[in-house]
Amino acid sequence: AAFPPKLAETCILAGCPAGGTVLDPFIGSGTVGLAARQLDRHYIGIELNPDYCALAEQRIGGDDG
């Protein structure tokens, strides 16, 4: 489901400390990964559809290091 990044930010800030890791088992277009990266969190995204994997990688940019 599509949702605004602000929704992901609120959840990340409530449940994950700075430098922590966020797990998104259905990363889709990468909204959660993008929000996690912007909030100085690591992220693990899982996606079966290669088209969405490419979209999320493009949207988030780079690897999580």
Side-chain angles (χ1 to χ4, degrees), residues 17-47:
T21 302
V22 175
L23 173 64
D24 184 358
F26 307 99
I27 198 164
S29 64
T31 302
V32 172
L34 181 64
R37 188 174 194 135
Q38 291 173 344
L39 294 171
D40 193 30
R41 272 68 170 178
H42 302 279
Y43 60 91
I44 298 170
I46 301 168
E47 180 57 58

Side-chain angles (χ1 to χ4, degrees), residues 27-30 46-59:
I27 198 164
S29 64
I46 301 168
E47 180 57 58
L48 294 176
N49 185 324
D51 293 334
Y52 278 117
C53 290
L55 177 61
E57 184 177 359
Q58 194 174 52
R59 187 169 180 213

